[in-house]
Amino acid sequence: MAIRTISLVFLMLCGNNTLAVELRAAPANTSSMSSPHNSAACLFVLPANIAESARCSTTWFPTDYTDSKSRSAISLHAVTVTGTHSSNTATILLDGGPGGSGNAVLHLLTDTELTQGLLALGDIVVLAQRGTRFSSQPLDCSGSHEDCIRTLQQTGNIESFTTENSARDIISFADDASYTGIRILAYSYGTRLALQIASQAPDRVLSMALDSVIPLKTNHQDLRGIDDALVALDRACDNSGDCKAHVPDSVIESFLIALASLEQRPIVVPGALGSIRLTPQVFVERVVNGIQAGNTLKYMPRFIAEISSSRVGLISRDLLNGPGIGVSSGSGDLAVGLLMAVNCSDIPNVYDHRIEQTIDNLQSHTSDERAMAGTEILRKLLTDSVREQGSRCDTLPGRDTPVLAAATDPSRLFDGPTLLLSGEFDPIAPLENATQVQQQLGQNSQSLLFPAISHAVAFESGCARAMITSFFKDAKVRLEQGCIDDMQIDFPAGNGFMVTR
C-alpha cells in the first residue's frame, strides 16, 4: 500500500488503526425503495463467536428528515445479534471515524465475556452509519484532499451527512425494532454520535459507555491532546530503566529538538516501500500515529530520541517502514469523504481549537533554546493545518445549515448512567475531553483514566471491557478498579521492533 503524507487534521481517521479487518465490496447504490427492512447477506466481518446468532438486514431511512415530502432515501446495512434472554432492549455499538464501517467496533465482540454479558441484557446491534461503505451512498474519495472536496461539492445532498441525521437513523431503527430502551457502547467519534443520540432521545437511552471521548462541537482533528500525551510519555520513560537507557534526555525536549532539526535538514530514511523524507510535518504525523496505536506506543520514546539525534537506528527504520506508524492512503474500510463532510458539519468554527494551550504546556517543560524553536514550528504546523481544514469546509454546500439546538445546549444532554473511559497517552481524546463532557452530564456519570493506554481503551484492555460489562449489568454497583492499578507500560530493552498482541 502506498505511503503518503496527509494533513494533520485528518490524521485520526478511525479511532483504533491496529485492527486487521477483511475488506469486502460496498453494496451497489439503489434509488428505489422497497420494504423498510430486508434480510440480507452479511457485509460485516462477523466474529466467529456471534456468526450463528447474527442476522443482517438492509433498512431505508429518509435522506432529509426535515423534508417530509421528499421521497429521497438512503439504505443502511445492519447486523443484529439476538440476545440470550427475552428483552425489548438492545446495546448499540458505534464505530469511530467519522467514516468507520462498523467492522472495527464489531471486533470488540471477540471478547466472549463482554459479548455474553451484553447478550444477557438484550440484542446487540451495529448499524452502518450513512455515508459509510455499507450504505447505499458511500462517500468515498481517492486522491488528494482537494480532489475529495471537489467530489463532495458535486454531491447534491451533502448537507444530509451529519451526526444529527446519523443519530436520527439509529433512533428510527430502534423504533422500528420496538426497542423500548437502548444502551450505547461507543469509541472515538462514535462517542460524539452517542451524545447526540442521548440529547435527541434521553428517555430512550438506558446507559452509555463512552471510550476515548469526543465532545459535541469540538474539533477533535487538531491533536488537542498531543501535549498531555508527550508529558505522560516523558514521565513514564523517566520511571523506566529500560527506557532511560536509550532515551537519556527528556522525551518532550527530544521531540521539540527533532522538529527544529528537521526544519533545517529533513532526514531521508530508505525502506522497502521507498524512501521516506522526514520533514517536521511528517515527523509529527508519525509520532501521533505511533502514540495512539497500541502496538507501537512503547517504542515512541526511542523513535523520538533517534530522530532528535539524527541517528536513524533499527527502531526508527522498522517503525517507519513496517506496519507500525506509516500513514497510508486508506484501508478501504473508511469513507474519507464522510470524515470530511461530518467534521465540517459538526464544527461551526473549525478555527476554535486549543493550540496556544498545547504550546504553553510544552514550553513549561523546557528551557532549551532548540526546543523552544521546536514549539514555534509545532505552533505553525497546527495552525496551518486547522486553517486548511477550515478553508476546505467553507467551500462545501450547506456549510451554513443551522444545527440542532440540543447539540450546543449543555442543559439538554443526557443525565442517565454514563461511564467515560480515557487513555493516559491519548493524543486525540485526552482526559480533558471526558472532564468537559462529564460537566454536561448528570450525577450518574463516572470517569476513569487507564494508564499505559492511548486511544480506544476497550480495544487494548481486557480490564476496561470487564468494567464495561459490569457497568451495563448494574450501573449502580461500584466498579472494581484493582486491574487499573496493575497497568503499566513496558518499554523494550532490545534494539529491534516487534509487534506483540
Side-chain angles (χ1 to χ4, degrees):
M1 185 175 291
I3 300 297
R4 66 182 177 89
T5 299
I6 62 175
S7 174
L8 293 178
V9 291
F10 294 117
L11 240 173
M12 188 53 217
L13 298 182
C14 200
N16 181 295
N17 64 3
T18 65
L19 297 174
V21 293
E22 175 187 343
L23 304 183
R24 304 184 185 184
N29 285 348
T30 178
S31 58
S32 61
M33 282 193 63
S34 54
S35 61
H37 300 278
N38 297 313
S39 296
C42 274
L43 300 176
F44 292 112
V45 180
L46 300 179
N49 57 315
I50 65 166
E52 292 186 2
S53 57
R55 63 184 188 277
C56 290
S57 61
T58 297
T59 305
W60 289 92
F61 301 89
T63 302
D64 183 359
Y65 281 90
T66 64
D67 187 355
S68 60
K69 296 181 180 180
S70 174
R71 295 181 59 82
S72 177
I74 186 170
S75 67
L76 306 180
H77 195 58
V79 58
T80 302
V81 187
T82 305
T84 55
H85 294 76
S86 178
S87 173
N88 57 357
T89 68
T91 302
I92 310 292
L93 273 55
L94 300 180
D95 212 335
S101 70
N103 275 332
V105 74
L106 270 170
H107 188 85
L108 287 174
L109 299 185
T110 58
D111 186 315
T112 303
E113 180 182 349
L114 172 67
T115 303
Q116 291 177 346
L118 296 181
L119 290 177
L121 301 173
D123 295 349
I124 298 175
V125 173
V126 175
L127 177 67
Q129 296 167 31
R130 58 172 60 206
T132 59
R133 73 189 189 101
F134 296 145
S135 70
S136 59
Q137 190 180 353
L139 292 186
D140 203 2
C141 291
S142 59
S144 67
H145 286 131
E146 288 70 23
D147 292 337
C148 190
I149 286 293
R150 282 191 287 270
T151 298
L152 296 181
Q153 288 170 340
Q154 298 167 7
T155 303
N157 59 345
I158 189 64
E159 64 276 4
S160 69
F161 293 92
T162 64
T163 299
E164 289 84 359
N165 279 338
S166 287
R168 290 183 176 100
D169 294 339
I170 292 167
I171 295 168
S172 177
F173 185 93
D175 287 340
D176 292 340
S178 299
Y179 293 134
T180 58
I182 58 174
R183 291 163 293 275
I184 301 177
L185 171 55
Y187 84 101
S188 196
Y189 163 74
T191 65
R192 170 182 285 169
L193 177 54
L195 290 168
Q196 185 61 57
I197 295 168
S199 70
Q200 289 185 20
D203 295 336
R204 179 67 60 85
V205 179
L206 302 174
S207 55
M208 299 191 297
L210 307 182
D211 176 358
S212 304
V213 182
I214 307 295
L216 290 168
K217 306 304 173 188
T218 297
N219 188 353
H220 71 291
Q221 299 288 334
D222 67 357
L223 310 185
R224 58 191 291 108
I226 181 62
D227 52 326
D228 290 339
L230 287 170
V231 170
L233 199 59
D234 183 48
R235 181 172 58 247
C237 182
D238 198 47
N239 292 328
S240 167
D242 288 332
C243 188
K244 291 303 293 181
H246 299 277
V247 187
D249 300 320
S250 159
V251 173
I252 297 171
E253 289 192 343
S254 295
F255 171 80
L256 296 172
I257 290 171
L259 282 176
S261 175
L262 292 172
E263 177 76 3
Q264 297 296 319
R265 182 177 297 178
I267 296 175
V268 178
V269 182
L273 298 177
S275 297
I276 298 172
R277 188 170 183 266
L278 271 185
T279 62
Q281 177 173 331
V282 176
F283 175 66
V284 173
E285 291 168 354
R286 302 306 171 94
V287 168
V288 172
N289 269 16
I291 291 176
Q292 68 92 23
N295 61 331
T296 54
L297 170 63
K298 61 187 177 182
Y299 296 97
M300 296 317 297
R302 293 274 296 277
F303 170 69
I304 292 170
E306 287 185 2
I307 301 304
S308 176
S309 62
S310 299
R311 295 195 307 269
V312 180
L314 289 175
I315 292 288
S316 297
R317 287 198 295 269
D318 288 345
L319 283 173
L320 290 170
N321 292 289
I325 57 175
V327 181
S328 74
S329 57
S331 67
D333 215 46
L334 177 80
V336 177
L338 182 64
L339 171 84
M340 294 185 179
V342 169
N343 279 340
C344 288
S345 68
D346 273 8
I347 307 165
N349 179 5
V350 295
Y351 304 105
D352 179 19
H353 49 80
R354 54 165 296 220
I355 292 176
E356 291 308 314
Q357 179 181 333
T358 296
I359 299 303
D360 289 345
N361 192 12
L362 292 176
Q363 287 181 340
S364 70
H365 286 83
T366 182
S367 58
D368 187 287
E369 289 186 6
R370 294 174 300 165
M372 284 295 184
T375 63
E376 295 307 314
I377 295 168
L378 181 62
R379 185 203 306 272
K380 185 177 187 305
L381 283 174
L382 297 178
T383 301
D384 289 350
S385 188
V386 171
R387 285 175 177 169
E388 276 183 30
Q389 183 187 15
S391 297
R392 295 190 187 106
C393 288
D394 288 342
T395 67
L396 289 184
R399 185 73 173 92
D400 298 325
T401 301
V403 296
L404 290 180
T408 55
D409 181 1
S411 65
R412 296 190 60 187
L413 287 185
F414 185 60
D415 62 358
T418 305
L419 179 63
L420 307 169
L421 294 80
S422 304
E424 178 184 14
F425 300 103
D426 196 337
I428 306 298
L431 178 62
E432 173 187 329
N433 283 9
T435 302
Q436 177 183 333
V437 168
Q438 192 171 21
Q439 292 172 350
Q440 299 175 341
L441 300 174
Q443 298 297 315
N444 295 318
S445 64
Q446 51 184 313
S447 177
L448 298 176
L449 180 66
F450 286 77
I453 293 180
S454 181
H455 199 69
V457 176
F459 286 84
E460 301 296 332
S461 170
C463 169
R465 294 191 295 272
M467 286 190 176
I468 291 170
T469 305
S470 299
F471 171 77
F472 279 136
K473 182 178 180 181
D474 188 349
K476 296 181 180 179
V477 173
R478 187 177 183 277
L479 293 174
E480 175 54 54
Q481 301 181 28
C483 58
I484 292 181
D485 298 333
D486 297 332
M487 297 174 67
Q488 63 180 7
I489 182 170
D490 294 320
F491 294 99
N495 291 319
F497 170 63
M498 181 181 300
V499 176
T500 56
R501 303 294 287 167

